[in-house]
Amino acid sequence: MEPETTRPRPVLTTGSVLPEDADRAALVARVHSPEWDGPCVAAVRGEHVVDLTAIAPTVSDLMERHDAAAVVREADGGHVWRLDELVEAPKDRRDVPHLLTPIDLQVIKAAGVTFARSLLERVIEERTGGDPAQAARVRARIGQVVGGTIDGIRPGSPEADKAKELLVAEGLWSQYLEVGIGPDPEVFTKAPVLSAVGSGADIGVLGASVWNNPEPEVVLVVDSRGQVRGATLGNDVNLRDIEGRSALLLSRAKDNNASCAIGPFIRLLDEGFDLDTVRGLDIDLRIDGSDGYVLHGSSSMREISRDVLDLVAATHGPHHQYPDGSVLFTGTLFAPTEDRQAPGAGFTHEYGDVVRISSPRLGTLINTVIPSELAAPWTFGVRALMHSLARRGVL
């Protein structure tokens, strides 16, 4: 991938980012305020966004309230912005109000290989040692032996044990299959607190990577008690070549500047949007290259191999707590195999790609791919947030 020095920015509008039933949704946003040189917790109410920072200084605080949905819908707030102006504002300027990722102090966790189709692609990465030129050959071999062996298997079940025996006998057992159909899921820390970017921002791919793709996912928002309070969308960028060389390079593959996008809003659970709704969400992906390239993909949470509450329990419980809450990427079904740069090499990003991840009940997360090394430096951390809130007298 060659860096794009100039590239058209995606055009964001309220219609392109809001859920289709936004008038019935309790939507949480964060807004950068030039006045305070920091973020405001806010509620989306029709054409307006209302500052709730005096009521809940952080989104983490808001998630701790049992009446969070009522607060978002009804509480008196402070400053009011026009939603369209926030959506359309540039995301790289600190002198204009604009939307940020809707999370703040929550630890950013991710579950891996939770869908059978993408699970096999992880095995392919491992077998090729991260070499995309070998992908087609290894994919054919894996397909011949594994086929539908793992489809529909409940992880950790007797059927899963039998499948493991078969794959071991064929010499195809893998650490990815272990976490895919074994008793324990893969859960890792995706990115540091406050490092995620929101909709409209650039998303980073490490310059050293030559085989990579987006990972469109539903992201659960969990409070300090381990209760799911809402959901949003995320892009858990995947560097297939680097992780394929060694699973011990997971941190290098996953945690880079601007490599975690979450947004556009948190949709709180309520009577019209509950966990069963989350379990049935469909996710669409569209990639538009600056060269006219277009890729479509789709997935459904109905195909996930582990229930979302099982993933939460593997993350938060007697073994581990998160006093400021957490967000949890639930995994992706999307693993593109369509050739882009060379026959048999499969898909990889080009700089300037515009990635749209959407779901009718959650809206659309839109980001433009650039090298992580050229993304805006991450400078606003926990100290800066605390100083900004202290200046406002809300702590």
Side-chain angles (χ1 to χ4, degrees):
M1 296 189 294
E2 293 297 327
E4 294 277 344
T5 55
T6 60
R7 59 189 184 282
R9 291 282 182 175
V11 177
L12 273 66
T13 65
T14 55
S16 68
V17 300
L18 283 171
E20 63 181 14
D21 59 341
D23 58 326
R24 299 192 297 274
L27 298 176
V28 179
R30 280 172 75 243
V31 177
H32 169 72
S33 167
E35 177 183 3
W36 297 112
D37 192 27
C40 297
V41 179
V44 179
R45 298 177 183 170
E47 297 178 352
H48 298 99
V49 178
V50 180
D51 184 4
L52 299 177
T53 310
I55 300 170
T58 68
V59 176
S60 174
D61 287 307
L62 181 62
M63 294 303 107
E64 294 302 302
R65 297 184 61 129
H66 294 289
D67 62 346
V71 168
V72 168
R73 287 193 171 98
E74 304 165 5
D76 292 335
H79 191 90
V80 178
W81 300 272
R82 285 187 55 85
L83 176 60
D84 57 353
E85 293 177 353
L86 294 177
V87 169
E88 296 167 13
K91 306 301 184 285
D92 55 356
R93 287 179 52 184
R94 302 192 65 81
D95 61 335
V96 294
H98 58 266
L99 290 176
L100 303 166
T101 181
I103 69 164
D104 46 37
L105 295 180
Q106 294 91 345
V107 175
I108 304 173
K109 307 293 287 188
V113 290
T114 55
F115 290 84
R117 193 188 312 168
S118 60
L119 161 58
L120 293 181
E121 287 300 311
R122 301 291 84 76
V123 177
I124 290 164
E125 291 166 16
E126 180 185 40
R127 293 279 163 167
T128 63
D131 180 2
Q134 304 299 318
R137 176 185 59 79
V138 176
R139 186 175 294 112
R141 164 65 175 155
I142 296 288
Q144 287 176 356
V145 176
V146 178
T149 302
I150 62 175
D151 291 346
I153 287 181
R154 182 170 57 85
S157 67
E159 293 77 14
D161 290 339
K162 292 179 181 178
K164 177 176 181 176
E165 291 176 5
L166 169 64
L167 294 167
V168 168
E170 292 288 339
L172 287 175
W173 189 244
S174 159
Q175 58 199 337
Y176 293 103
L177 286 163
E178 177 63 46
V179 297
I181 66 175
D184 300 312
E186 177 191 25
V187 180
F188 57 93
T189 300
K190 163 63 181 177
V193 169
L194 289 177
S195 68
V197 299
S199 193
D202 293 327
I203 191 164
V205 170
L206 200 63
S209 175
V210 297
W211 189 22
N212 46 70
N213 61 257
E215 290 195 339
E217 305 188 25
V218 170
V219 180
L220 304 177
V221 182
V222 183
D223 66 18
S224 67
R225 298 173 291 273
Q227 301 299 308
V228 179
R229 304 304 306 277
T232 184
L233 295 168
N235 186 350
D236 177 20
V237 176
N238 181 33
L239 308 186
R240 304 188 68 178
D241 48 353
I242 291 177
E243 185 179 350
R245 282 162 44 205
S246 171
L248 296 181
L249 293 173
L250 179 66
S251 180
R252 178 165 174 78
K254 290 293 188 182
D255 181 9
N256 297 292
N257 201 23
S259 67
C260 177
I262 297 175
F265 312 106
I266 295 171
R267 182 164 187 168
L268 297 178
L269 299 187
D270 57 20
E271 63 280 358
F273 183 79
D274 58 15
L275 275 175
D276 283 337
T277 309
V278 174
R279 292 181 175 105
L281 289 174
D282 293 320
I283 305 151
D284 292 316
L285 172 81
R286 179 184 171 110
I287 300 172
D288 289 275
S290 58
D291 57 354
Y293 174 88
V294 177
L295 176 69
H296 294 276
S298 62
S299 61
S300 173
M301 289 291 286
R302 290 181 291 274
E303 295 187 47
I304 199 167
S305 60
R306 301 180 193 265
D307 186 71
V308 292
L309 289 184
D310 291 335
L311 295 176
V312 173
T315 307
H316 184 121
H319 64 294
H320 208 312
Q321 298 79 44
Y322 299 89
D324 297 310
S326 62
V327 295
L328 177 62
F329 282 77
T330 54
T332 185
L333 183 62
F334 181 73
T337 59
E338 175 183 315
D339 291 338
R340 183 176 187 180
Q341 296 178 338
F347 172 86
T348 196
H349 271 306
E350 294 281 357
Y351 296 136
D353 282 353
V354 176
V355 182
R356 291 174 172 86
I357 297 170
S358 60
S359 186
R361 305 298 296 276
L362 294 175
T364 304
L365 174 66
I366 305 174
N367 302 101
T368 303
V369 176
I370 68 169
S372 288
E373 295 86 346
L374 298 183
W378 174 37
T379 60
F380 195 92
V382 176
R383 284 191 302 118
L385 174 60
M386 294 302 107
H387 287 312
S388 176
L389 295 175
R391 286 195 298 270
R392 290 176 250 182
V394 295
L395 290 182

